């Protein structure tokens, strides 16, 4: 199975900060990676798919990049609504797996 | 409005069975890739199973042989039959739509399954 490792596990930041979260795959997944945002008690929300494609309706301050085994999610200017947990997920063959999550806190 | 609504969760004893349902509205289950994803208390997300539009199914190793994903095309509903339940199956179970390998873009609100004696 492909293992997904996110870093950091927790990130402390302030409103207006540029934030970067890294996700590494244990083997190449080309560009088949998605990013999700989850707030406490809520379902995940798709932010980015195919490594860098912004899901419709997601603010442009979110961006994704990478290919192969290393990927990043960047929030260009952190907003109060962005404090949440973020997960990466590969879909390059089964089983699909998620990273362990990165909690972005104040 | 595109929406998924799960039901069927509850408390069940180890070794017991439960069937989860996921009713879709605003789109057709049978023409999409439909998934179950779960989240144990305080933990991360775990993909559980998928059913393709053509009917092919895949499972996580942790549930293979115990869980069965299916759908009712006339009722536009997705199901997850869970047998031989274990304490480690305790989680919130979400159904989610995946569109042509573009991530899971529609999620239900989740239904809670607790396996305990």
């Amino acid at each position: 199975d492909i293992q997904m490792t996110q870093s950091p596990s927790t990130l402390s930041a302030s409103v207006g900060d540029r934030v970067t979260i890294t996700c590494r795959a244990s083997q190449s997944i080309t560009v088949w990676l998605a990013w999700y945002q989850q707030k406490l008690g809520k379902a995940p929300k798709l932010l980015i798919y195919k490594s860098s494609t912004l899901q419709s309706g997601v603010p442009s301050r979110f961006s994704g990049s990478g290919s192969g085994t290393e990927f990043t999610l960047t929030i260009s200017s952190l907003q109060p609504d962005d404090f949440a947990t973020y997960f990466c997920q590969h879909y390059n063959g089964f089983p699909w797996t998620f990273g362990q999550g990165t909690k972005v806190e104040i | 409005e595109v929406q998924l609504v799960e039901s069927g969760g509850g408390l069940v004893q180890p070794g017991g069975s439960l069937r989860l349902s996921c009713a879709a509205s605003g789109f057709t289950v049978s023409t999409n890739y439909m998934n179950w994803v779960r989240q144990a208390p305080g933990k991360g997300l775990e993909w559980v199973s998928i059913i393709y539009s053509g009917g092919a199914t895949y499972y996580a190793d942790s549930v293979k042989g115990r869980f069965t994903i299916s759908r009712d095309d006339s009722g536009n509903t997705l199901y997850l039959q869970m047998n031989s339940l274990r304490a480690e199956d305790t989680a919130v179970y979400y159904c989610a739509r995946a569109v042509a390998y573009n991530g899971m873009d529609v999620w239900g609100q989740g239904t809670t399954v607790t396996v305990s004696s």
Side-chain angles (χ1 to χ4, degrees):
Chain A
D1 297 358
I2 298 173
Q3 308 302 317
M4 306 301 294
T5 303
Q6 284 182 237
S7 59
S9 296
T10 306
L11 189 158
S12 297
S14 301
V15 173
D17 284 354
R18 181 181 181 87
V19 166
T20 299
I21 299 168
T22 298
C23 179
R24 290 186 173 86
S26 59
Q27 64 189 73
S28 177
I29 56 171
T30 61
V31 294
W32 303 118
L33 184 100
W35 290 97
Y36 300 87
Q37 177 193 67
Q38 187 180 34
K39 296 182 178 180
L40 196 63
K42 301 294 187 182
K45 173 187 174 182
L46 177 65
L47 300 176
I48 303 277
Y49 62 90
K50 212 185 297 183
S51 177
S52 60
T53 304
L54 195 67
Q55 172 68 359
S56 175
V58 173
S60 59
R61 63 180 179 273
F62 291 93
S63 63
S65 66
S67 65
T69 62
E70 188 150 339
F71 301 84
T72 58
L73 173 70
T74 299
I75 308 172
S76 60
S77 177
L78 199 65
Q79 298 302 301
D81 191 50
D82 302 337
F83 291 95
T85 301
Y86 295 84
F87 294 93
C88 62
Q89 176 238 332
H90 90 81
Y91 46 103
N92 184 63
F94 295 105
W96 294 354
T97 52
F98 290 86
Q100 80 278 16
T102 295
K103 184 178 181 180
V104 177
E105 59 183 22
I106 300 173
Chain B
E1 180 190 6
V2 173
Q3 193 174 8
L4 293 167
V5 178
E6 300 97 335
S7 61
L11 175 63
V12 60
Q13 292 188 338
S17 298
L18 212 55
R19 189 178 82 156
L20 305 183
S21 300
C22 171
S25 56
F27 72 98
T28 303
V29 162
S30 62
T31 60
N32 286 271
Y33 306 159
M34 298 300 299
N35 297 267
W36 288 97
V37 176
R38 68 184 181 183
Q39 188 168 36
K43 302 297 184 182
L45 300 167
E46 180 186 17
W47 174 81
V48 172
S49 182
I50 187 171
I51 183 167
Y52 278 130
S53 51
T57 59
Y58 296 89
Y59 298 90
D61 289 344
S62 58
V63 307
K64 203 173 295 182
R66 301 187 299 123
F67 290 11
T68 303
I69 191 171
S70 64
R71 67 184 187 225
D72 171 13
D73 293 351
S74 61
N76 209 31
T77 300
L78 177 73
Y79 298 102
L80 185 68
Q81 177 66 43
M82 304 186 295
N83 298 331
S84 303
L85 283 162
R86 307 166 180 167
E88 54 265 37
D89 296 318
T90 294
V92 175
Y93 285 73
Y94 297 100
C95 60
R97 180 182 80 173
V99 179
Y101 279 85
N102 287 341
M104 290 180 275
D105 67 333
V106 179
W107 294 67
Q109 84 287 353
T111 188
T112 300
V113 172
T114 303
V115 184
S116 175
S117 55

